[in-house]
Short mmCIF file of all heavy atoms in Angstrom, two decimals:
data_model
loop_
_atom_site.label_atom_id
_atom_site.label_comp_id
_atom_site.label_asym_id
_atom_site.label_seq_id
_atom_site.Cartn_x
_atom_site.Cartn_y
_atom_site.Cartn_z
N GLY X 201 138.26 80.73 89.82
CA GLY X 201 139.55 81.06 90.40
C GLY X 201 139.44 82.29 91.35
O GLY X 201 140.39 83.07 91.47
N ASN X 202 138.25 82.43 91.88
CA ASN X 202 138.08 83.60 92.82
C ASN X 202 137.58 83.04 94.18
O ASN X 202 136.55 83.46 94.60
CB ASN X 202 137.20 84.66 92.29
CG ASN X 202 137.65 85.42 91.19
OD1 ASN X 202 138.86 85.98 91.39
ND2 ASN X 202 137.11 85.36 90.04
N PRO X 203 138.34 82.30 94.95
CA PRO X 203 137.88 81.74 96.19
C PRO X 203 137.77 82.81 97.20
O PRO X 203 138.55 83.85 97.22
CB PRO X 203 138.96 80.73 96.58
CG PRO X 203 140.17 81.00 95.82
CD PRO X 203 139.72 81.83 94.64
N ALA X 204 136.79 82.74 98.16
CA ALA X 204 136.62 83.63 99.18
C ALA X 204 135.98 83.00 100.45
O ALA X 204 135.37 82.02 100.26
CB ALA X 204 135.67 84.85 98.69
N TYR X 205 136.31 83.62 101.58
CA TYR X 205 135.62 83.00 102.82
C TYR X 205 134.19 83.31 102.92
O TYR X 205 133.78 84.48 102.57
CB TYR X 205 136.48 83.53 104.01
CG TYR X 205 137.74 82.70 104.15
CD1 TYR X 205 139.00 83.22 103.72
CD2 TYR X 205 137.74 81.37 104.65
CE1 TYR X 205 140.20 82.53 103.79
CE2 TYR X 205 138.97 80.61 104.71
CZ TYR X 205 140.09 81.11 104.37
OH TYR X 205 141.28 80.44 104.36
N GLU X 206 133.45 82.40 103.33
CA GLU X 206 132.01 82.60 103.62
C GLU X 206 131.71 82.02 104.97
O GLU X 206 132.47 81.24 105.54
CB GLU X 206 131.18 81.81 102.58
CG GLU X 206 131.41 82.16 101.09
CD GLU X 206 130.60 81.62 100.14
OE1 GLU X 206 129.40 81.41 100.46
OE2 GLU X 206 130.99 81.07 99.05
N LYS X 207 130.51 82.33 105.49
CA LYS X 207 130.10 81.85 106.78
C LYS X 207 129.67 80.40 106.61
O LYS X 207 128.95 79.98 105.76
CB LYS X 207 128.90 82.62 107.22
CG LYS X 207 129.19 84.11 107.64
CD LYS X 207 127.82 84.74 108.07
CE LYS X 207 128.21 86.20 108.27
NZ LYS X 207 127.02 87.01 108.68
N GLY X 208 130.21 79.59 107.61
CA GLY X 208 129.83 78.19 107.55
C GLY X 208 128.49 77.95 108.30
O GLY X 208 128.12 78.74 109.11
N ALA X 209 127.78 76.90 107.87
CA ALA X 209 126.47 76.68 108.53
C ALA X 209 126.16 75.24 108.48
O ALA X 209 126.73 74.34 107.77
CB ALA X 209 125.38 77.36 107.62
N ILE X 210 125.23 74.82 109.24
CA ILE X 210 124.70 73.42 109.44
C ILE X 210 123.24 73.41 109.34
O ILE X 210 122.54 74.16 110.03
CB ILE X 210 125.28 72.84 110.61
CG1 ILE X 210 126.72 72.69 110.73
CG2 ILE X 210 124.56 71.39 110.96
CD1 ILE X 210 127.28 72.08 111.98
N VAL X 211 122.66 72.55 108.51
CA VAL X 211 121.24 72.28 108.47
C VAL X 211 121.02 70.90 109.08
O VAL X 211 121.81 69.95 108.74
CB VAL X 211 120.69 72.36 107.02
CG1 VAL X 211 119.22 71.90 107.02
CG2 VAL X 211 120.72 73.79 106.55
N CYS X 212 120.08 70.70 109.93
CA CYS X 212 119.78 69.39 110.39
C CYS X 212 118.59 68.98 109.51
O CYS X 212 117.48 69.47 109.55
CB CYS X 212 119.24 69.37 111.92
SG CYS X 212 118.70 67.76 112.38
N ARG X 213 118.92 67.93 108.74
CA ARG X 213 117.91 67.40 107.80
C ARG X 213 117.22 66.19 108.43
O ARG X 213 117.80 65.48 109.29
CB ARG X 213 118.57 66.89 106.51
CG ARG X 213 119.30 68.00 105.76
CD ARG X 213 119.51 67.60 104.35
NE ARG X 213 120.49 66.45 104.11
CZ ARG X 213 120.86 66.19 103.00
NH1 ARG X 213 120.52 66.89 101.91
NH2 ARG X 213 121.75 65.20 102.82
N VAL X 214 115.98 65.95 108.22
CA VAL X 214 115.15 64.98 108.75
C VAL X 214 114.38 64.24 107.73
O VAL X 214 113.81 64.86 106.81
CB VAL X 214 114.24 65.62 109.75
CG1 VAL X 214 113.23 64.59 110.40
CG2 VAL X 214 114.91 66.43 110.80
N ALA X 215 114.45 62.90 107.75
CA ALA X 215 113.63 62.04 106.73
C ALA X 215 113.62 60.67 107.32
O ALA X 215 114.41 60.21 108.19
CB ALA X 215 114.52 61.98 105.39
N PRO X 216 112.57 59.83 106.82
CA PRO X 216 112.52 58.55 107.42
C PRO X 216 113.73 57.78 107.05
O PRO X 216 114.18 56.94 107.76
CB PRO X 216 111.32 57.95 106.62
CG PRO X 216 110.59 59.17 106.32
CD PRO X 216 111.44 60.21 106.08
N SER X 217 114.40 58.14 105.91
CA SER X 217 115.55 57.47 105.56
C SER X 217 116.30 58.30 104.51
O SER X 217 115.64 59.04 103.65
CB SER X 217 115.43 56.11 104.80
OG SER X 217 116.63 55.58 104.25
N PHE X 218 117.66 58.44 104.57
CA PHE X 218 118.45 59.07 103.64
C PHE X 218 119.04 58.16 102.54
O PHE X 218 119.94 58.51 101.80
CB PHE X 218 119.45 59.93 104.20
CG PHE X 218 118.93 61.11 104.98
CD1 PHE X 218 118.83 61.05 106.33
CD2 PHE X 218 118.59 62.24 104.38
CE1 PHE X 218 118.25 62.08 107.10
CE2 PHE X 218 118.08 63.32 105.06
CZ PHE X 218 117.88 63.28 106.32
N LEU X 219 118.67 56.91 102.49
CA LEU X 219 119.14 55.95 101.51
C LEU X 219 118.96 56.46 100.05
O LEU X 219 117.78 56.97 99.73
CB LEU X 219 118.55 54.55 101.74
CG LEU X 219 119.10 53.77 102.89
CD1 LEU X 219 118.26 52.64 103.19
CD2 LEU X 219 120.57 53.33 102.60
N ARG X 220 119.92 56.24 99.24
CA ARG X 220 119.80 56.69 97.91
C ARG X 220 120.02 55.46 96.91
O ARG X 220 120.55 54.49 97.30
CB ARG X 220 120.94 57.67 97.60
CG ARG X 220 120.90 58.92 98.54
CD ARG X 220 122.32 59.20 98.99
NE ARG X 220 122.27 60.20 100.13
CZ ARG X 220 122.26 61.53 99.99
NH1 ARG X 220 122.49 62.04 98.74
NH2 ARG X 220 122.14 62.40 100.94
N PHE X 221 119.73 55.80 95.58
CA PHE X 221 120.02 54.68 94.71
C PHE X 221 121.45 54.19 94.81
O PHE X 221 121.91 53.01 94.73
CB PHE X 221 119.83 55.09 93.18
CG PHE X 221 118.30 55.36 92.84
CD1 PHE X 221 117.43 55.27 93.84
CD2 PHE X 221 117.99 55.50 91.48
CE1 PHE X 221 115.96 55.62 93.47
CE2 PHE X 221 116.64 55.72 91.19
CZ PHE X 221 115.68 55.74 92.13
N GLY X 222 122.33 55.22 94.94
CA GLY X 222 123.82 54.91 95.08
C GLY X 222 124.36 54.15 96.25
O GLY X 222 125.35 53.47 96.17
N ASN X 223 123.36 53.94 97.24
CA ASN X 223 123.71 53.13 98.43
C ASN X 223 123.75 51.64 97.93
O ASN X 223 124.50 50.77 98.50
CB ASN X 223 122.77 53.25 99.58
CG ASN X 223 122.98 54.52 100.37
OD1 ASN X 223 122.53 55.57 99.86
ND2 ASN X 223 123.62 54.46 101.44
N TYR X 224 122.99 51.32 96.91
CA TYR X 224 122.94 49.98 96.37
C TYR X 224 123.93 49.74 95.29
O TYR X 224 124.55 48.70 95.21
CB TYR X 224 121.51 49.63 95.96
CG TYR X 224 120.48 49.96 97.06
CD1 TYR X 224 120.00 51.22 97.15
CD2 TYR X 224 120.09 49.00 98.00
CE1 TYR X 224 119.12 51.53 98.25
CE2 TYR X 224 119.16 49.34 99.05
CZ TYR X 224 118.70 50.58 99.17
OH TYR X 224 117.92 50.93 100.17
N GLU X 225 124.00 50.77 94.51
CA GLU X 225 124.98 50.76 93.32
C GLU X 225 126.30 50.35 93.74
O GLU X 225 127.07 49.54 93.04
CB GLU X 225 124.85 52.00 92.55
CG GLU X 225 123.60 52.31 91.71
CD GLU X 225 123.78 53.61 91.01
OE1 GLU X 225 123.60 54.67 91.70
OE2 GLU X 225 124.22 53.60 89.89
N ILE X 226 126.73 50.96 94.84
CA ILE X 226 128.21 50.77 95.26
C ILE X 226 128.52 49.36 95.38
O ILE X 226 129.56 48.90 95.00
CB ILE X 226 128.58 51.73 96.50
CG1 ILE X 226 130.02 51.66 96.71
CG2 ILE X 226 127.79 51.29 97.62
CD1 ILE X 226 130.88 52.50 95.83
N PHE X 227 127.61 48.52 96.04
CA PHE X 227 128.01 47.20 96.31
C PHE X 227 127.95 46.37 95.14
O PHE X 227 128.84 45.40 94.97
CB PHE X 227 127.05 46.69 97.37
CG PHE X 227 127.08 47.43 98.75
CD1 PHE X 227 126.11 48.19 99.21
CD2 PHE X 227 128.30 47.46 99.29
CE1 PHE X 227 126.17 48.89 100.41
CE2 PHE X 227 128.47 48.17 100.57
CZ PHE X 227 127.41 48.84 101.09
N THR X 228 127.04 46.63 94.15
CA THR X 228 127.09 45.74 92.94
C THR X 228 128.37 46.12 92.14
O THR X 228 128.97 45.23 91.50
CB THR X 228 125.73 46.12 92.04
OG1 THR X 228 124.70 46.09 92.99
CG2 THR X 228 125.59 45.19 90.95
N ALA X 229 128.67 47.42 92.08
CA ALA X 229 129.89 47.84 91.35
C ALA X 229 131.12 47.01 91.94
O ALA X 229 132.08 46.79 91.20
CB ALA X 229 130.02 49.35 91.44
N ARG X 230 131.03 46.84 93.22
CA ARG X 230 132.19 46.12 93.85
C ARG X 230 132.08 44.67 93.87
O ARG X 230 132.84 43.97 94.58
CB ARG X 230 132.38 46.76 95.23
CG ARG X 230 132.94 48.21 95.29
CD ARG X 230 132.82 48.75 96.68
NE ARG X 230 133.63 49.99 96.68
CZ ARG X 230 133.71 50.83 97.82
NH1 ARG X 230 132.90 50.54 98.81
NH2 ARG X 230 134.38 51.93 97.71
N GLN X 231 130.94 44.27 93.36
CA GLN X 231 130.64 42.81 93.42
C GLN X 231 130.45 42.20 94.84
O GLN X 231 130.82 41.08 95.10
CB GLN X 231 131.61 42.01 92.59
CG GLN X 231 131.83 42.59 91.20
CD GLN X 231 132.08 41.52 90.20
OE1 GLN X 231 132.64 40.54 90.42
NE2 GLN X 231 131.64 41.79 88.95
N ASP X 232 130.03 43.12 95.76
CA ASP X 232 129.85 42.75 97.10
C ASP X 232 128.46 42.44 97.38
O ASP X 232 127.66 43.24 97.79
CB ASP X 232 130.40 43.86 98.05
CG ASP X 232 130.11 43.58 99.41
OD1 ASP X 232 129.58 42.42 99.78
OD2 ASP X 232 130.45 44.41 100.35
N LEU X 233 128.01 41.22 96.81
CA LEU X 233 126.53 40.95 96.82
C LEU X 233 126.02 40.60 98.21
O LEU X 233 124.81 40.82 98.45
CB LEU X 233 126.22 39.73 95.90
CG LEU X 233 126.59 40.01 94.34
CD1 LEU X 233 126.19 38.93 93.51
CD2 LEU X 233 126.14 41.40 93.89
#
Side-chain angles (χ1 to χ4, degrees):
N202 288 307
Y205 281 101
E206 300 186 43
K207 292 180 187 176
I210 295 180
V211 170
C212 176
R213 303 200 289 192
V214 176
S217 168
F218 290 100
L219 283 165
R220 303 137 190 271
F221 290 10
N223 286 81
Y224 308 84
E225 288 180 277
I226 186 77
F227 298 117
T228 312
R230 289 171 167 170
Q231 310 213 329
D232 176 3
L233 300 188

